[in-house]
């Protein structure tokens, strides 16, 4: 079964530092997503990406966040200047063109901002 | 905007008990519905999904869910839970547009199964 791969599994960073979370979506998928889950809370949508541009983003996804698909296989989420409240589990997901098959989630990156 | 409500935040059951977790959504249009499970320390895994057709959907591990359009509900059921079902369960919905769109998740229900 194809998988979505995320690295690293756990990242600790100091407040104000930049972090890049990496994801390798399923190769024939066309839509890519980032979600986050603050400890004990629900999974929240951050951004969706299609055809090399953002197709939708939430209020959480402010100017401190950016996404990129630099080489046709990786899909990255960058947080420019991390805040304590950015500490969360970040999940990458991908899906095909149609919503019929659903979404495949990665195992997540736990980001801890200290 | 679409939203998803899961009213049971924490459920404790004995092994072999029957399970029903509630999920209600609000959205005026046509939706796809999903249940995901998250075992401790692991990622989200799809249990089952509903797109169209038979409103009673069967998923993996003996789970099923019933879509009741008039009640905007998609409750998850299992006749007899096992200790290994201890996990967090998330209901999710997205707009049915024919192309992929974002998922909106409920707050989750933590299921604890005791021996």
């Amino acid at each position: 079964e194809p998988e979505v791969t995320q690295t690293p599994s756990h990242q600790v960073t100091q407040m104000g530092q930049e972090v890049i979370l990496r994801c390798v979506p399923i190769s024939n998928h066309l839509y890519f997503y980032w979600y986050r889950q603050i400890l004990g809370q629900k999974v929240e949508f951050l951004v969706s990406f299609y055809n090399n541009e953002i197709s939708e983003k939430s209020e959480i996804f402010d100017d401190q966040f950016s996404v990129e698909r630099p080489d046709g296989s990786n899909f990255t989420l960058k947080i420019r200047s991390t805040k304590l409240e950015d500490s969360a589990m970040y999940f990458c997901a991908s899906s095909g063109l149609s919503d019929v098959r659903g979404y495949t989630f990665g195992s997540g990156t736990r980001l801890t901002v200290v | 905007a679409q939203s998803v409500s899961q009213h049971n935040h924490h459920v404790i059951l004995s092994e072999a008990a029957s399970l029903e977790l509630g999920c209600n959504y609000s959205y005026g249009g046509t939706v796809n519905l999903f249940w995901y499970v998250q075992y401790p320390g692991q990622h989200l895994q799809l249990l089952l999904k509903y797109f169209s057709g038979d409103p009673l959907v069967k998923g993996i591990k003996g789970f099923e869910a019933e879509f009741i359009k008039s009640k905007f509900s998609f409750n998850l059921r299992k006749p007899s839970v096992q200790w290994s079902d201890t996990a967090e369960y998330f209901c999710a919905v997205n707009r049915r547009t024919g192309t992929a769109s974002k998922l909106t998740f409920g707050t989750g229900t933590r299921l604890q199964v005791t021996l």
Side-chain angles (χ1 to χ4, degrees):
Chain A
E1 177 105 21
E3 290 184 345
V4 174
T5 305
Q6 288 187 245
T7 55
S9 56
H10 190 189
Q11 172 127 20
V12 181
T13 188
Q14 288 199 327
M15 195 167 51
Q17 295 296 304
E18 174 185 284
V19 293
I20 298 176
L21 310 183
R22 302 181 193 281
C23 169
V24 179
I26 292 174
S27 60
N28 61 352
H29 280 181
L30 299 173
Y31 281 83
F32 314 110
Y33 309 84
W34 283 101
Y35 291 81
R36 81 171 184 191
Q37 184 182 26
I38 295 172
L39 187 64
Q41 299 185 26
K42 69 176 181 179
V43 179
E44 301 173 290
F45 168 76
L46 290 178
V47 65
S48 59
F49 192 85
Y50 171 70
N51 201 25
N52 284 319
E53 60 183 25
I54 292 173
S55 50
E56 190 173 0
K57 61 182 181 180
S58 71
E59 296 169 350
I60 304 166
F61 194 87
D62 61 21
D63 293 344
Q64 292 300 310
F65 291 88
S66 62
V67 289
E68 195 177 34
R69 191 160 159 78
D71 56 12
S73 62
N74 289 285
F75 177 53
T76 61
L77 173 70
K78 182 194 289 187
I79 308 175
R80 259 180 275 282
S81 177
T82 49
K83 303 187 282 283
L84 293 176
E85 53 264 39
D86 293 327
S87 295
M89 195 78 164
Y90 288 81
F91 293 104
C92 174
S94 68
S95 67
L97 182 60
S98 165
D99 51 16
V100 171
R101 291 188 178 273
Y103 307 76
T104 302
F105 282 83
S107 54
T109 294
R110 180 172 299 283
L111 176 65
T112 304
V113 182
V114 296
Chain B
Q2 59 208 34
S3 67
V4 180
S5 299
Q6 292 180 245
H7 304 295
N8 313 106
H9 297 296
H10 190 189
V11 173
I12 303 174
L13 293 173
S14 300
E15 231 185 11
S18 65
L19 169 73
E20 180 158 2
L21 301 182
C23 172
N24 289 90
Y25 67 94
S26 66
Y27 180 65
T30 305
V31 297
N32 302 314
L33 297 153
F34 305 81
W35 274 97
Y36 282 86
V37 62
Q38 186 178 28
Y39 297 103
Q42 295 190 28
H43 64 285
L44 294 160
Q45 298 176 39
L46 181 66
L47 270 181
L48 47 79
K49 59 183 186 279
Y50 172 79
F51 287 85
S52 62
D54 188 346
L56 184 61
V57 179
K58 293 196 183 300
I60 61 172
K61 307 186 181 191
F63 286 91
E64 65 179 31
E66 185 175 12
F67 170 53
I68 302 178
K69 189 175 180 180
S70 60
K71 295 184 178 181
F72 295 87
S73 70
F74 190 55
N75 292 353
L76 181 71
R77 300 195 292 248
K78 185 171 183 178
S80 176
V81 295
Q82 300 172 306
W83 179 79
S84 57
D85 292 325
T86 295
E88 187 117 19
Y89 292 81
F90 292 93
C91 183
V93 63
N94 74 345
R95 303 184 307 274
R96 187 180 310 163
T97 64
T99 57
S101 62
K102 71 175 185 182
L103 287 171
T104 298
F105 285 85
T107 51
T109 297
R110 181 172 300 175
L111 172 64
Q112 185 178 346
V113 180
T114 59
L115 295 171

